[in-house]
Amino acid sequence: MAKKLPAVDVVLVGFGWTGAMIGEELTAAGLRTVALERGGWRDTSTDFAVTFAQDELRYMWRGHLFQEPAHQTLTFRNDSSQTALPLRHLGSFLPASGVGGAGVHWNGQTWRFLPSDFVLRSHNEQRYGALSQDMTVQDWGVTYDELEPFYDKFEYLCGISGKAGNLRGARQDGGNPFEGPRARDFPNPPLEMAYGPTLFGQAARDTGHTPFPCPAANMSRAYTNPLGVMLAPCTYCGFCEKFGCGNNSKSSPQTTILPVLMRRDNFELRTESEVVRINMDSSGKRATGVTYVDTQGNEFEQPAEMVFLCAYILHNVHLLLLSGIGLPYDPRTGEGIVGRNYAYQVVSSVDVFLGDRILNPFVGAGALGVGIDDYNGDNFDHTGLGFIAGGYLACWNTNGRPIEYHPVPKDTPKWGSKFKKAMAENYLTTATISTHGAVMANRGNFLDLDPTYRDARGRPLLRMTFDFHDNEHRMSDYLTDRAVDIARAMKPREIHAKKRTGHYSVVPYQTTHNTGGAAMGSDPKTSFVNKYLQSWDVPNLFVTGSTVFPQNAGYNPTGTIGALTYFALDAIKKQYLKNPGPLVQL
């Protein structure tokens, strides 16, 4: 039987970006807050010291920062006609484990979604007509203009390095001309650009595009954020993605929030504490807290006035399903909410072998790159193309890590003397143009509980049913062809276009940008939470992170996750705490 603990005002399930943000804001408002994190403690000085942070074998290949499938995994299939099987190794995406979550091992690419992204269904139907019946895309229930101040707040928390392209409606030279209007420029100037992205930018400009330095949570200079936490300038070591930063140069919960939050008397963090159930009262309309288990198998009940799901998208949805909150989605009837509108990202690339220009790929940072947004969202006319949405194109100088990075021309042997020779000839002189595309929610893509496989505690595993559809393939092909156009303008010796073909596979790494399963919106029939991330059915339950995305845009999600969290917190502090109950009246 679970041991019942003293009640608190707030319990946070998971302690990554959103957990840290909510903890800081609500403890500052005077609320007693407890965070439950299933992983262990992680801190810059003790866990990411420069003496071992660049250990590629430990972090990249042995996944020191990631979830262990032996402890928690899921099953996968491409469609409902198949039998899902458990993932024994992480591949396509890399859920984190431990304090800071994926905010520790991310690259730092921090985008704002386009204004049209938030009204995706209504915007596209107005411009192009009715969408496919299999597309379950929807408007978000919140607009870019509502979120803009909170994008700004997150960017200044993180010290984002970049260049504005649209200040209060006025275009700014050197920035992204397609972005929504922003109230002020980035808190830090762009990173010093490497040669490969510079050549890409020149070629993009020559072919009629508008390149700009990509926004980065890697510091271009020393910075002190609004909480008084200091970050150091990036050293361009190239160990960002899948690594913790030992220099305090990459924004993470550890480098922006925890030095302040962990000192507060009304905050408590309990690590190695896995939440197994959200507890409800007899009415089923109010959460009373959560039940969690520690590493010794001891079970505890933590009562709370407010419950926030702050874990990774897959864990948030899994916990809702296991707790019996909300109607599970049924793809046959189209009814149900929880598990609906699961989406991902579709990526491709073009290797550009320059041959005679030294690029020094090892001089890198997680978001050091030049991009173009000409083919993102609805920034271009989709008439007759057979798809909606799009993505950005960019040339990144993220790393030249010796085990991971080995650019060789097409048809090069995978091993042996010819591989070594090609590697030596091309390591310093190859750039890659990446495409990063949206994925539209589809009737056949969803999350539910597996009927066969169970975890160590006897609970059904989460089951993922997902595949790319015609919209994603056509869009990705289009983006890849545009990348080829720019690659040719770089005057290379040769190029190798790697289009996204066939079914989605969970084996090769692609992105950790999983989204959906508890979508936000303005209609309880098609959304689990309202615009303030509050459950329609359980008003003291809030869901954060990309779990609430109705579909995925052509950008990395973290900036929008931050903006949505601060937007919700603003309403909670100004309205909910004074009068607990639904923040949106129907």
Side-chain angles (χ1 to χ4, degrees), residues 271-282:
T271 59
E272 299 180 334
S273 300
E274 182 178 1
V275 175
V276 294
R277 183 171 60 256
I278 303 166
N279 301 323
M280 303 292 293
D281 69 5
S282 58

Side-chain angles (χ1 to χ4, degrees), residues 161-464:
S161 304
K163 177 70 176 72
N166 183 343
L167 278 180
R168 297 175 293 279
R171 179 171 172 173
Q172 307 296 306
D173 291 339
N176 179 5
F178 297 99
E179 69 176 355
R182 55 174 66 237
R184 54 178 173 169
D185 210 333
F186 288 94
N188 284 312
L191 294 162
E192 294 291 330
M193 199 53 61
Y195 191 32
T198 299
L199 292 175
F200 167 81
Q202 293 172 352
R205 195 173 293 108
D206 291 343
T207 50
H209 302 91
T210 310
F212 56 89
C214 296
N218 318 116
M219 297 303 101
S220 60
R221 62 184 178 185
Y223 178 71
T224 302
N225 76 7
L227 295 178
V229 182
M230 299 177 64
L231 291 92
C234 180
T235 60
Y236 301 88
C237 72
F239 288 82
C240 284
E241 183 183 27
K242 308 178 183 72
F243 298 82
C245 179
N247 301 310
N248 289 289
S249 303
K250 180 176 71 173
S251 297
S252 67
Q254 280 85 347
T255 60
T256 59
I257 299 174
L258 299 194
V260 172
L261 177 58
M262 295 303 296
R263 291 187 172 95
R264 292 194 177 146
D265 293 337
N266 58 338
F267 177 76
E268 181 183 355
L269 169 65
R270 299 175 195 155
T271 59
E272 299 180 334
S273 300
E274 182 178 1
V275 175
V276 294
R277 183 171 60 256
I278 303 166
N279 301 323
M280 303 292 293
D281 69 5
S282 58
S283 72
K285 297 296 184 181
R286 182 179 180 275
T288 59
V290 299
T291 297
Y292 71 94
V293 179
D294 66 14
T295 53
Q296 284 75 44
N298 300 312
E299 195 170 271
F300 300 89
E301 180 184 344
Q302 177 58 69
E305 292 298 317
M306 302 172 68
V307 176
F308 288 81
L309 301 191
C310 306
Y312 188 60
I313 163 214
L314 302 177
H315 307 314
N316 285 342
V317 176
H318 195 206
L319 189 58
L320 289 172
L321 290 168
L322 291 173
S323 302
I325 301 175
L327 182 65
Y329 173 67
D330 184 343
R332 296 168 298 178
T333 64
E335 297 178 349
I337 301 300
V338 182
R340 181 179 183 269
N341 281 35
Y342 171 75
Y344 190 50
Q345 217 96 60
V346 57
V347 296
S348 66
S349 62
V350 178
D351 289 337
V352 188
F353 299 93
L354 297 170
D356 58 348
R357 282 157 283 181
I358 303 297
L359 306 182
N360 290 337
F362 49 83
V363 181
L368 177 63
V370 171
I372 64 168
D373 238 3
D374 300 68
Y375 308 110
N376 211 340
D378 199 36
N379 293 341
F380 61 108
D381 188 356
H382 290 68
T383 303
L385 296 178
F387 65 87
I388 62 169
Y392 68 79
L393 276 61
C395 181
W396 304 100
N397 232 65
T398 59
N399 80 88
R401 297 189 285 267
I403 305 176
E404 181 180 0
Y405 185 72
H406 42 78
V408 292
K410 186 178 180 180
D411 298 328
T412 299
K414 301 296 184 183
W415 61 281
S417 59
K418 291 184 179 179
F419 169 80
K420 294 177 182 178
K421 184 175 184 294
M423 172 72 173
E425 291 174 347
N426 294 285
Y427 175 82
L428 291 174
T429 61
T430 303
T432 298
I433 302 173
S434 301
T435 79
H436 192 277
V439 168
M440 298 296 94
N442 189 280
R443 184 185 183 99
N445 292 338
F446 62 99
L447 304 170
D448 67 353
L449 295 178
D450 193 280
T452 304
Y453 294 97
R454 296 180 176 268
D455 66 12
R457 304 189 192 283
R459 304 172 301 172
L461 293 181
L462 185 71
R463 177 171 63 178
M464 176 188 293

